[in-house]
Amino acid sequence: MALLNNIGALTHALDKEMERDSSIIVYGEDVGYEGGVFRATVGLQEKYGKDRCFDTPLSEAAIVGTAIGAAINGLKPVVEIQFSGFVLPAVNQILAHAARMRNRSRGKYNLPMVIRMPYGGGIRALEHHSESLEAIFSHIPGLKVVIPSTPYDTKGLLLSAIRDPDPVIFMEPKRIYRAFKQEVPEEDYTVPIGKAKVVKKGSDITVVTWGALVREAQKAIEEVEKEGISAELIDLRTISPIDKETIIESVKKTGRFLVVHEAVKSFGAGAELISIVNEKAFLHLEAPPTRLAGFDITVPLPRGEHHFIIEPRQIAKKIRELVKF
Amino acid sequence: MLIDRYDPLEEEMLNILDKNGKIVDPNLEPFIENDNLLKMYQTMLLAKVADIKALQYQRQGRMLTYAPNRGQEAAQVGSIAATDKNDWLVPAFRELGAWLYKGVSLEQVFLYWYGNEMGSKFPEDVKMLPVSVPIASQLNHAVGIAMASKIKREKDVAIAYVGDGGTSQGEFHEAVNFAAVFNAPVVFLIQNNQWAISVPRSVQTKSKTLAQKALAYGIPGIQVDGNDVLAVYAATKEAVERARNGEGPTIIEAVTYRLGPHTTSDDPTIYRDVSEVTEWEKKDPIDRFKKYLIDKGLWSEDKDKSKYEEYENYVGETFKKVEGSGFVPLEDIFKYTYAEMTPNLIEQYEEYKKHIGEEGA
């Protein structure tokens, strides 16, 4: 057992898995010598050599495109897009090729590849560094989209992602890269893709969120608990394929549903979740299933970003509203 | 080395077989086994017959959209023939000759154009990717395949195809740059067929040649007569050997001409002059190659006529088979999206299956 933060868990998982499986290669901009701008890959080049961990030209489409080729030719690439805002040049490769290669080749070519990217706001970053684009990738058949929120899950989900035969978009909430530490077992374990986690049991309302907002929701729930409200908190962990079962089971019990996400509100994952709740648990509802999400705006630069960030008191307020509805 | 001898900046072009099928310089003639020469020729001929008939079927309303390759048979067959069985073919979407030579059956090709993805599931030992409709992005797959080959200490080379229009895409440049930086064993074969649908080569780039783009990335480029199967073969052979020997990527520009439309939805009479087509018809790659083989005593007009008829029948029968293949089963449209169907897909599949059961559709 080691006490690790999210970045430490990432490095640890990559290291363990590269040691176990020599077909894994790790690359991207600044990933090799420096170990990535967030140091997620630190030490890997030194340990595994330049063939298995290396720097590339500044070229997102080529990073993802070559990973597709490498996966077809028997390797397991884990590539890094430096910030999710920079993934846009590679979107053609992800949507038009990675997502479809298995289908297009009728199963001849699976793509065991992982595209890692730090995402989300709250670190006072430049433009194009703060977006949450999980809904875009989740909308595309053939991709899996995973977001861990704790060091334990980061290791377990990353190992699942690397071992998955399908392309996985692994989005890392960078705001909590170093926010806290947790015991992460040394030994091999996985956290399954497609399974949400009930972080805390409760009976009055189901709150679903993911990434950095899991901790914010926890704080909100602690606050309303003092007022006698019992909220169940679910960390979605995988945005696609979505774990309907856990959510429906919870809503049937609580009768109320709140989804909280950092991404802009419209056409997002929250809308998908509410739709699922309406389809599967409508008669159990005692209040309208509700979204608390980012505004439908370009994420503001640091001087205005605090208006955009969702805080525990906002979540607590929404919980109260829905319980009293 | 041929590749060093023809300067793409000076628009020098490798040509071995003139338009009458005569060797222009005996020192340039590549050595190719007789059997292989015949295989190359016959593949080109089959591609031609398949093309002509596919267009007819489409006009008869029996074939869906099809991308003809008439006129480009030498660029395709000449290049793939210079690779080994273990090398990878990464196609764009207009390389019928190369696919057939590589071992993809005509039935599969027709199946794909007939609207069934099963046409893209090639036999395990055919190392070819499915066609790529997005332009030029497939080049990065070839680079990745080649990088993996190098990392695994294997000797397999990737050959990737792109058109003149494809060289205007950002990913063309990313792919060539990546390949150059990593010394990846890949050959980029540009089929410069002069037109990207209705847009001429002159609107794609101000560069004198497309081959010269290689120089900006620090790798060699050569322009070859793309209707001269021996020139394409010789240049590709050299590029493949360079790649296999660890000397990195090469760009080959095969200067050729698309005699037909871009696809069956396109009408080239709107944007190009008939006289231009007539001029290129005189440089037909198949005629040139045929004359060369007849001169070598390997072929004859009689053999040619009977082979042509044989292929007409074969193509007809193959197409009939494909026409009779019917629709894909419901399960087929669901089961290849992920390695395992997700709960969502299972739910949608079961729901629809129940619906068609009830409706009897």
Side-chain angles (χ1 to χ4, degrees), chain A residues 236-289:
Chain A
L236 195 60
R237 295 201 292 203
T238 301
I239 313 303
S240 176
I242 217 155
D243 178 3
K244 291 184 184 179
E245 222 180 320
T246 304
I247 290 154
I248 296 310
E249 204 181 305
S250 172
V251 174
K252 281 182 177 172
K253 184 177 69 180
T254 64
R256 295 179 186 86
F257 182 73
L258 174 66
V259 52
V260 186
H261 64 62
E262 224 186 299
V264 297
K265 187 171 187 176
S266 300
F267 307 98
E272 178 63 29
L273 284 158
I274 287 172
S275 191
I276 290 167
V277 167
N278 277 330
E279 274 179 34
K280 306 280 178 185
F282 188 72
L283 294 176
H284 297 266
L285 291 171
E286 288 172 41

Side-chain angles (χ1 to χ4, degrees), chain B residues 10 31 40 61 70 79 84 138 148 151 155 160 179 261 282 286 303 321 349 352:
Chain B
E10 296 300 325
F31 174 75
M40 289 163 70
R70 251 322 262 131
S79 52
D84 286 351
Q138 76 280 5
I151 289 168
K155 286 285 176 192
K282 292 177 192 159
I286 297 184
K303 275 186 191 168
K321 217 159 126 188
Y349 169 58
Y352 186 68

